[in-house]
Amino acid sequence: MKPLIKIYNKLYSFYGPQYWWPGDTPFEIAVGAILTQNTNWSNVEKAIKNLKDAKVLSAKALHELPIQKLASLIRPAGYFNIKAKRLKSFIDFLIENYNGSMKKIKKEDMYPLRKKLLDVHGIGPETADSILLYALDKPVFVIDAYTKRVLSRHKVLDYNASYEEYQTLFHKELDEDLQLFNEFHALFVRVGKDYCKPKPLCEECPLNNF
């Protein structure tokens, strides 16, 4: 059995389904993917709650909202001035190209769309792929620090290998399965938070005998 499938089976049997990514709508998930850069999810939830309470969690409302006001609402997510600019850039892109509609953007083919997303200010590969996978149901594997940490410690791939090398490994070894990609990425996040920390807790880890 291929190493990635072994890891998936162990993690899934240990943790079960993760129901990730949290969000009521595809648009909310996309906003969350941008806000979660360099912070933890509980801070993002506070920022999204502020946007909901202010009734501005839509492309049109955020497009019209002054950037200073947006920055103050997303303050809990940290780096709020930078993230306000990034969020505005994404909203501008969505309004100008898809009339603010997540349904319209979802109709576009994955690879051309990924290229367009990467051209948006402040959207890197991890954020673009999170939007594609979780908000738009496109089968692309999201690589994050947890994934790299787990796989490098288990000698699957060197930690310093590029994002593209990591992603190629997943796309080569796994079937192009939306549910599998979704669940596997979430399981990496879970085991990374619980056990595969910067100072690892290997003894109790579900992958300790892998």
Side-chain angles (χ1 to χ4, degrees):
M1 193 188 290
K2 291 175 178 174
L4 292 182
I5 292 294
K6 273 188 182 175
I7 291 173
Y8 176 78
N9 289 342
K10 275 184 176 290
L11 291 177
Y12 191 84
S13 64
F14 186 80
Y15 281 118
Q18 296 301 293
Y19 307 107
W20 190 254
W21 187 299
D24 295 333
T25 65
F27 181 74
E28 182 181 325
I29 290 168
V31 168
I34 293 165
L35 293 181
T36 201
Q37 295 172 10
N38 304 307
T39 192
N40 62 51
W41 186 251
S42 62
N43 292 333
V44 175
E45 284 182 321
K46 290 171 192 165
I48 286 178
K49 184 179 185 300
N50 286 350
L51 295 174
K52 283 181 173 176
D53 290 347
K55 295 186 169 47
V56 292
L57 192 55
S58 71
K60 186 174 184 295
L62 287 179
H63 189 60
E64 292 168 357
L65 193 69
I67 195 162
Q68 296 85 352
K69 176 67 176 166
L70 174 57
S72 71
L73 288 171
I74 64 169
R75 194 179 191 95
Y79 303 99
F80 48 91
N81 287 319
I82 293 168
K83 288 181 182 179
K85 282 181 192 164
R86 289 175 180 173
L87 208 43
K88 280 284 192 183
S89 296
F90 173 71
I91 302 294
D92 289 346
F93 165 75
L94 193 61
I95 293 276
E96 286 162 19
N97 295 281
Y98 305 96
N99 202 27
S101 167
M102 294 299 282
K103 281 183 182 170
K104 282 185 181 170
I105 195 174
K106 189 176 177 176
K107 287 176 184 169
E108 187 149 350
D109 288 342
M110 180 169 78
Y111 289 105
L113 178 54
R114 186 178 192 267
K115 195 169 180 307
K116 288 179 186 177
L117 284 170
L118 289 171
D119 286 337
V120 175
H121 167 75
I123 292 188
E126 186 184 333
T127 304
D129 291 339
S130 296
I131 292 169
L132 288 167
L133 177 65
Y134 291 109
L136 302 173
D137 295 335
K138 307 286 186 188
V140 62
F141 204 93
V142 179
I143 306 299
D144 60 14
Y146 298 115
T147 309
K148 293 177 81 169
R149 197 189 295 155
V150 173
L151 291 189
S152 61
R153 283 175 174 169
H154 288 282
K155 307 288 188 280
V156 177
L157 200 58
D158 184 78
Y159 186 84
N160 294 318
S162 69
Y163 189 98
E164 286 69 29
E165 287 173 279
Y166 269 93
Q167 193 173 65
T168 299
L169 176 71
F170 281 90
H171 287 182
K172 202 163 67 177
E173 280 206 16
L174 303 178
D175 291 334
E176 205 176 71
D177 181 327
L178 190 66
Q179 191 57 41
L180 173 65
F181 285 6
N182 182 316
E183 200 64 70
F184 203 173
H185 173 242
L187 287 165
F188 274 120
V189 173
R190 183 73 185 272
V191 77
K193 285 180 175 176
D194 290 353
Y195 300 104
C196 206
K197 304 178 180 205
K199 191 177 177 186
L201 305 170
C202 296
E203 291 302 311
E204 305 96 54
C205 178
L207 298 174
N208 70 341
N209 61 352
F210 174 72

